[in-house]
C-alpha cells in the first residue's frame, strides 16, 4: 500500500494524513517496541506523534515495561 506521495514518509505524516483521513471515526493505535519508545523524542515530530496518538508498547530487547 502506498501511504504517501513524499519520498520519505514519517510516522507523524502517515497518522495525521493518511490514517485519520481514511478512518476518521476509528481508534488507531501505533504499535512499537519499548526500545523504540525510548528513542521517539528524537524522531521527526516525535513529541507531537506521542501527544496526538494512542500507543501500544511491547516489551522488546530486554527492556522491561514495569519495574
Amino acid at each position: 500500500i502506498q501511504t504517501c506521495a513524499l519520498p520519505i514518509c514519517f510516522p507523524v505524516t502517515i497518522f495525521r494524513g493518511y490514517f485519520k483521513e481514511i478512518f476518521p471515526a476509528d481508534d488507531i493505535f501505533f504499535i512499537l517496541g519499548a526500545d523504540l519508545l525510548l528513542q521517539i523524542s528524537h524522531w521527526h515530530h516525535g513529541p507531537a506523534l506521542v501527544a496526538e496518538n494512542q500507543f501500544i508498547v511491547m516489551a522488546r530487547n530486554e527492556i522491561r515495561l514495569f519495574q
Side-chain angles (χ1 to χ4, degrees):
I1 296 174
Q2 180 69 25
T3 56
C4 82
L6 301 173
I8 298 173
C9 294
F10 295 104
V12 71
T13 304
I14 295 169
F15 270 79
R16 282 181 180 165
Y18 182 77
F19 288 137
K20 291 189 179 180
E21 287 176 14
I22 302 298
F23 309 104
D26 295 328
D27 290 328
I28 299 172
F29 294 85
F30 192 110
I31 302 172
L32 72 161
D35 56 327
L36 291 177
L37 182 63
L38 295 175
Q39 301 171 12
I40 204 165
S41 65
H42 302 290
W43 292 13
H44 180 74
H45 294 289
L49 186 68
V50 171
E52 297 170 10
N53 296 284
Q54 301 178 79
F55 286 77
I56 297 173
V57 180
M58 306 299 293
R60 191 165 92 168
N61 292 341
E62 300 181 17
I63 296 176
R64 294 171 36 166
L65 297 176
F66 305 102
Q67 295 187 18

